[in-house]
Amino acid sequence: MNAPTTTSHYPTAPTAQKPESHTLSVLVDNEPGVLARVIGLFSGRGYNIESLTVSETEHQKHLSLITIVTTGTPMVIEQIKNQLERLVPIHRVVDMTLNGTSIERELAMVKVRGKGDNRVEALRLADAFRARVIDATTESFVFEITGKSDKIEQFIELMLPLGLVEVARTGIAAIKRGPDGL
């Protein structure tokens, strides 16, 4: 015997949305205080910035590109984009994650101290990851590595037991694929 189906007149409870990482490219006027306003929007509303890069992109037009990596539910990401678009010196906000046709890269410098087998292993791993030696002493190396953030994370994890001393990272830079600009 089949159980009777019941229908409810109440909407089902919303399912919990899972936080996602998004890369936002924000085209802004290159003038004092713009970055502070953007960061103020994030801190004032309790949003976290995981990575932030800023550079002038069009000198004649006095435009800069801010690339922000942040995490939140899809609803929070939409709020962030909408609030950014309302700031006066902002020309355009593009969610590179949703766009799907972007290239993201990061640069890191990784200092590793070691002698003997650890030194040889660090060089072997650096070669496998296509990291370049940009400084070397008899006791340490500084490697330069570029690529996706997860590749850099893997490299850093592998260098930990070999004598990792210090890491300096640039943050993510992103650009849209194809002939069109932002």
Side-chain angles (χ1 to χ4, degrees), residues 69-83:
V69 178
T70 188
T71 301
T73 63
M75 186 176 82
V76 167
I77 298 296
E78 268 312 303
Q79 285 177 333
I80 291 170
K81 292 188 299 189
N82 290 335
Q83 290 167 355

Side-chain angles (χ1 to χ4, degrees), residues 91-129:
H91 295 274
R92 192 173 16 242
V93 177
V94 176
D95 189 337
M96 301 298 257
T97 305
L98 292 180
N99 187 328
T101 58
S102 63
I103 301 169
E104 295 182 3
R105 293 293 182 266
E106 184 176 7
L107 167 91
M109 292 184 291
V110 180
K111 185 184 290 185
V112 180
R113 179 184 309 140
K115 293 186 176 185
D117 290 343
N118 282 357
R119 188 173 176 84
V120 172
E121 183 64 7
L123 280 171
R124 187 188 69 73
L125 288 169
D127 186 50
F129 277 80

Side-chain angles (χ1 to χ4, degrees), residues 111-115 118-119 139-141 159 162-165:
K111 185 184 290 185
V112 180
R113 179 184 309 140
K115 293 186 176 185
N118 282 357
R119 188 173 176 84
E139 296 181 13
S140 68
F141 290 110
M159 290 297 148
L162 300 177
L164 180 71
V165 175

